[in-house]
């Protein structure tokens, strides 16, 4: 988590860094800060708890003048979100300023040793040790570059660091990446350079970019960037053009990014389908898939991994693999998978899913798969992200930037890509006939329109929210392919509405959760037509028999079930495999309108960040 940025060049450093921080705020937003190297060669630091928009120099004055600066937007790991714990952190004399993303795992030992040596700490963070370690190197007679490199040798853990040093001559930013958690991207144009955790921050500054790999350091100066490898030897890097389509989103008249992104879901599905489908021949072409047809036929097992909403997409993906591709499939949370003794080989296809491509656990799971010789494909929304560089091939979601912390359109885009992948595998492996495949693809082509219809009725969810926003507990239930949708609906309500919500497989209700049912806990039943519809209808009856109130997502025309529940949400009839795409939209809207009614910060919910770059 945390966004870091550094700038050096002719522009005003304060406002350039501030603008970059606004673009990075999705990575964390509990406090922020900027350090500027003033013309007198002093480092002036301003930082405070709160969002980037609250960051000003004291008394609301304009920020200090200067042409070198670094900044940070924080998601607290070590130490509460206070002014003192905000970055940049400095050494005892304020000669060095540091911004940091990641965790210094051995910071307690380092802090103790530095304190014993006389260093005075002003924050509770792990990050502050970095500034003092650089100071230690400077006191030992090293220059800034040497002191920075020596500091790196002491750190354990995965992280990204940018540092600056005082002195009128010291027009240098040092940047380093250790491990997989903290990405670092750099740009250079004549007389101007910038560094950040993420490409989004550099968009106004960059035509081409480079990325640091694990263990690498960059010495950033006006005249150019020098790259050093793990052993401090020079490394040559060729800048890559900024990936086309990398843009920054605006709210476009919507009150929140989340609502805009929910409304963009028809385009997200269409974008994921674009150029990949031959409807006449019933074929899917995935140019980025790094497997030959012979290798596809040879696959024995597909493993799908991700975190949060991407994990729920993976759970839907398992059904696609089993039903459409005709292959054994498993699903796992990347945070668990990374620590297991996994057995993968060239006949195991691992598919990682992640909108950001920067989730630390997902990256670690991917690295484990590569280390053990499995085949690795990622489904990702962010071009140039770390996941896309770790995988053998990337199937892009093409959903466009998603800014709201709650994933919405990237979920639907993930499902679309997963379905395409499964249909492709199914065709090549002979599990699907051309007719089956054509029929499925035709059904998929209808999804944007069907979704558009659901979203056009969004005002109805405002009314529903008026009736339900005061409840403290919700239970969501689904079965088979709608079970992950129940989990996703509950996650949306938790993360943006701060309401306790549990997602459950309806078949498990009698094994415990049914004891919770009473009129104070609404049950959201995801029950569209499908092979398990009758079973779901029975579960709904059992809830009603115990005085539970039920909000049911049903297929249009399902009068029987509609007559038994308290609230009915209808979705168009579609192939069972695609009910997740249609059923999730109402649950996103329900959570959104409830959160708005409760006065929650929908786009930036408390304690969360868009990219979870620490484990
Ligand atoms: C979703 O609404 C959440 N914000 C979160 O669970 C998210 O899906 C998770 O952190 C994974 O992110 P990724 O898709 O970028 O890997």
């Amino acid at each position: 988590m945390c966004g870091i940025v550094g700038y050096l060049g002719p522009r005003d450093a304060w406002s350039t860094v501030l603008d970059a921080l606004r673009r990075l705020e999705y990575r964390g937003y509990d406090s922020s800060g900027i350090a500027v190297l003033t013309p007198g060669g002093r480092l002036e630091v301003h930082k405070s708890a709160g969002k980037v928009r609250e960051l000003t120099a004291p008394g609301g004055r304009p920020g200090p003048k200067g042409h070198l600066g670094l900044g940070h937007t924080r998601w607290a790991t070590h130490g509460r979100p206070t002014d003192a714990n905000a970055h940049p952190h400095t050494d005892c004399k304020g000669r060095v300023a540091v911004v940091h993303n990641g965790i210094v795992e051995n910071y307690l030992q380092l802090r103790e040793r530095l304190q014993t040596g006389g260093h005075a700490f002003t924050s509770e963070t792990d990050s502050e040790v970095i500034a003092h370690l650089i100071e230690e190197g400077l006191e030992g007679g090293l220059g800034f570059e040497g002191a920075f490199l020596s500091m790196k040798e002491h750190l354990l853990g995965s992280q990204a660091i940018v540092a600056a040093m005082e002195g009128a001559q010291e027009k240098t930013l040092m940047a380093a990446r250790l491990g997989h958690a903290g990405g670092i991207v750099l740009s250079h144009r004549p007389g101007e350079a910038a560094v950040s955790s993420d490409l989004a921050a550099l968009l106004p500054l960059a035509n081409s970019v480079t990325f640091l790999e694990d263990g690498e350091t960059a010495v950033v100066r006006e005249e150019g960037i020098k790259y050093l490898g793990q052993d401090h030897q020079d490394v040559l890097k060729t800048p890559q053009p900024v990936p086309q389509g990398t843009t920054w989103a605006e709210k476009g008249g919507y009150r929140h990014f989340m609502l805009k992104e929910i409304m963009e879901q028809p385009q997200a599905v269409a974008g994921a389908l674009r150029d990949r489908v031959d409807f006449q021949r019933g074929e899917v072409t995935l140019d980025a898939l790094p497997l030959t047809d012979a290798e596809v036929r040879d696959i024995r097992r597909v493993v799908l991994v991700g975190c949060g909403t991407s994990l729920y997409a993976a759970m839907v993906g398992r059904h696609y693999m089993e039903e459409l591709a005709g292959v054994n499939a498993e699903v796992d949370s990347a945070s668990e998978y990374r620590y297991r003794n996994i057995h993968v080989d060239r006949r195991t296809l691992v598919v990682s899913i992640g909108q950001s491509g920067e989730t630390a656990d997902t990256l670690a799971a991917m690295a484990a798969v590569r280390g053990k010789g499995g085949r690795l494909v990622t489904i990702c929304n962010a071009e140039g992200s770390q996941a896309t560089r770790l995988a053998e091939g990337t199937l892009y979601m093409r959903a466009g930037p998603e800014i709201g912390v709650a994933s919405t359109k990237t979920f639907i885009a993930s499902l679309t890509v997963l379905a395409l992948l499964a249909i492709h595998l199914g065709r090549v492996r002979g599990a699907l006939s051309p007719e089956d495949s054509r029929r499925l693809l035709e059904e998929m082509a209808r999804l944007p329109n069907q979704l558009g219809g659901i979203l056009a009725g969004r005002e109805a969810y405002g009314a529903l929210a008026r009736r339900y926003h005061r409840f403290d507990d919700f239970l969501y239930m689904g079965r088979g392919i709608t079970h992950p949708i129940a989990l996703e609906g509950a996650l949306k309500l938790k993360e943006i509405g701060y309401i306790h919500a549990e997602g459950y497989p309806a078949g498990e209700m009698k094994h415990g959760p049914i004891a919770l049912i009473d009129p104070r806990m609404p049950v959201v039943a995801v029950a569209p037509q499908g092979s398990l519809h009758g079973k779901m209808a029975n579960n709904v009856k059992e809830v009603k028999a115990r005085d539970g109130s039920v909000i049911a997502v049903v297929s249009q025309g399902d009068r029987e079930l509609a007559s038994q529940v308290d609230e009915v949400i209808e979705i168009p009839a579609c192939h069972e495999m695609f009910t997740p795409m249609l059923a999730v939209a109402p649950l996103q809207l329900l959570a959104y309108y409830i959160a708005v009614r409760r006065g929650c910060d929908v786009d930036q919910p408390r304690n969360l960040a868009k990219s979870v770059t620490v484990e």
Side-chain angles (χ1 to χ4, degrees):
M1 339 274 270
C2 303
I4 61 182
V5 63
Y7 173 78
L8 152 60
R11 304 172 200 232
D12 174 60
W14 174 273
S15 46
T16 307
V17 169
L18 195 62
D19 180 57
L21 288 182
R22 287 195 193 105
R23 294 161 187 272
L24 286 175
E25 209 175 8
Y26 71 91
R27 298 176 70 99
Y29 36 76
D30 59 42
S31 53
S32 60
I34 296 178
V36 171
L37 185 69
T38 63
R42 257 183 357 92
L43 278 170
E44 198 170 320
V45 179
H46 298 290
K47 55 185 195 171
S48 59
K51 299 205 169 164
V52 171
R53 64 172 176 267
E54 289 154 38
L55 181 65
T56 53
R61 280 185 285 115
K65 292 281 160 225
H67 296 285
L68 180 151
L70 45 80
H72 188 270
T73 177
R74 180 170 186 246
W75 186 88
T77 56
H78 293 59
R80 286 172 307 119
T82 59
D83 292 356
N85 289 335
H87 299 216
H89 289 290
T90 50
D91 61 325
C92 300
K93 301 195 186 81
R95 293 176 64 200
V96 174
V98 167
V99 288
H100 173 230
N101 170 31
I103 295 175
V104 183
E105 288 176 2
N106 54 337
Y107 86 102
L108 281 175
Q109 297 94 296
L110 290 170
R111 188 175 168 120
E112 213 174 284
R113 178 176 72 67
L114 288 159
Q115 279 175 325
T116 310
H119 288 262
F121 280 72
T122 56
S123 79
E124 305 157 304
T125 65
D126 56 331
S127 313
E128 194 183 341
V129 296
I130 298 170
H132 293 282
L133 285 169
I134 298 174
E135 180 177 36
E136 191 177 57
L138 294 170
E139 283 167 351
L142 297 173
F144 182 36
E145 187 177 320
F148 185 88
L149 291 171
S150 135
M151 167 277 295
K152 269 178 65 190
E153 305 303 319
H154 295 279
L155 303 185
L156 290 182
S158 233
Q159 44 227 307
I161 304 160
V162 177
M165 188 184 156
E166 70 164 23
Q169 306 311 314
E170 268 313 335
K171 284 278 193 62
T172 305
L173 287 166
M174 296 293 302
R177 174 182 166 182
L178 294 164
H180 289 294
I184 285 274
V185 54
L186 299 114
S187 70
H188 183 261
R189 302 200 275 220
E192 183 172 51
V195 48
S196 175
S197 340
D198 181 323
L199 196 54
L202 300 190
L203 284 179
L205 304 167
N207 307 326
S208 59
V209 289
T210 52
F211 297 91
L212 288 191
E213 301 301 333
D214 180 10
E216 289 182 342
T217 302
V219 186
V220 184
R221 299 205 172 95
E222 268 168 7
E223 58 273 22
I225 302 177
K226 179 170 79 170
Y227 301 96
L228 302 172
Q230 190 109 39
D231 308 326
H232 307 169
Q233 79 284 14
D234 283 351
V235 171
L236 202 65
K237 281 189 189 279
T238 313
Q240 310 165 19
V242 171
Q244 273 192 358
T246 311
T247 51
W248 184 244
E250 303 295 340
K251 279 190 200 151
Y254 287 98
R255 184 167 166 200
H256 296 103
F257 277 112
M258 182 180 175
L259 182 58
K260 175 177 176 260
E261 289 155 6
I262 290 172
M263 299 304 287
E264 284 171 348
Q265 292 184 109
Q267 295 92 298
V269 174
L273 290 173
R274 198 185 59 235
D275 304 335
R276 287 171 167 160
V277 175
D278 180 334
F279 290 100
Q280 263 180 356
R281 295 170 62 198
E283 276 176 10
V284 173
T285 309
L286 298 171
D287 289 334
L289 191 70
L291 278 75
T292 62
D293 283 0
E295 288 170 329
V296 165
R297 281 190 281 273
D298 208 28
I299 295 170
R300 289 292 165 268
R301 193 163 63 111
V302 175
V303 181
L304 301 122
V305 295
C307 291
T309 290
S310 292
L311 171 63
Y312 301 149
M315 290 172 75
V316 175
R318 173 173 52 190
H319 289 270
Y320 290 161
M321 293 302 155
E322 289 170 349
E323 294 289 329
L324 309 180
V327 62
N328 283 326
E330 297 160 26
V331 64
D332 210 341
S333 150
S335 59
E336 292 292 324
Y337 191 74
R338 65 178 288 187
Y339 288 117
R340 281 223 305 280
N341 185 12
I342 58 168
H343 299 281
V344 293
D345 57 21
R346 303 296 292 165
R347 298 169 93 187
T348 311
L349 174 64
V350 179
V351 181
S352 78
I353 302 157
Q355 64 79 25
S356 64
E358 300 287 346
T359 299
D361 286 322
T362 307
L363 294 174
M366 292 173 74
V369 171
R370 289 225 74 163
K372 297 230 170 163
R375 305 301 307 265
L376 180 64
V377 169
T378 194
I379 296 177
C380 186
N381 200 38
E383 291 196 44
S385 59
Q386 297 194 68
T388 65
R389 285 179 281 129
L390 253 174
E392 288 174 67
T394 302
L395 303 176
Y396 279 106
M397 296 176 191
R398 303 178 183 159
E402 187 177 73
I403 307 301
V405 162
S407 295
T408 52
K409 64 177 179 172
T410 56
F411 178 68
I412 274 192
S414 305
L415 299 190
T416 309
V417 176
L418 280 162
L420 290 179
L421 176 61
I423 293 170
H424 173 72
L425 299 184
R427 284 285 287 117
V428 175
R429 295 166 63 83
L432 286 179
S433 68
E435 292 70 43
D436 292 336
S437 165
R438 203 171 307 140
R439 196 166 55 86
L440 287 162
L441 293 170
E442 273 164 15
E443 288 266 355
M444 288 185 81
R446 293 167 58 205
L447 288 170
N449 250 338
Q450 293 174 319
L451 268 169
I454 294 171
L455 299 172
R458 70 177 197 262
E459 297 306 334
Y461 299 88
L464 202 54
R466 198 163 47 243
R467 298 196 284 280
Y468 286 90
H469 72 281
R470 290 211 177 82
F471 287 90
D472 294 323
D473 305 282
F474 278 73
L475 201 133
Y476 286 66
M477 61 182 193
R479 264 183 186 257
I481 203 161
T482 66
H483 169 223
I485 301 308
L487 297 172
E488 173 61 4
L491 177 62
K492 291 286 93 93
L493 194 63
K494 280 185 257 214
E495 69 177 332
I496 63 166
Y498 313 150
I499 293 175
H500 167 236
E502 285 202 48
Y504 235 81
E508 285 285 312
M509 288 291 288
K510 290 189 200 71
H511 301 287
I514 203 162
L516 294 168
I517 300 300
D518 71 16
R520 283 166 299 144
M521 184 158 84
V523 175
V524 179
V526 191
Q529 287 300 339
S531 50
L532 296 175
H533 178 264
K535 308 272 177 202
M536 272 302 289
N538 289 342
N539 294 124
V540 166
K541 285 192 188 100
E542 287 156 8
V543 173
K544 286 308 300 171
R546 286 157 183 84
D547 289 334
S549 62
V550 176
I551 303 169
V553 179
V554 303
S555 298
Q556 261 156 16
D558 185 353
R559 293 209 186 82
E560 162 99 45
L561 193 54
S563 66
Q564 296 171 32
V565 299
D566 303 82
E567 309 282 353
V568 182
I569 298 172
E570 284 194 331
I571 60 170
C574 67
H575 190 289
E576 180 173 6
M577 288 292 112
F578 308 126
T579 49
M581 283 89 147
L582 300 184
V584 77
L587 304 189
Q588 296 164 343
L589 286 167
L590 179 64
Y592 171 79
Y593 283 106
I594 286 180
V596 169
R597 280 236 149 228
R598 289 166 71 96
C600 298
D601 190 343
V602 171
D603 283 338
Q604 294 184 329
R606 68 187 180 202
N607 304 338
L608 293 176
K610 184 74 180 158
S611 294
V612 182
T613 60
V614 292
E615 72 170 301

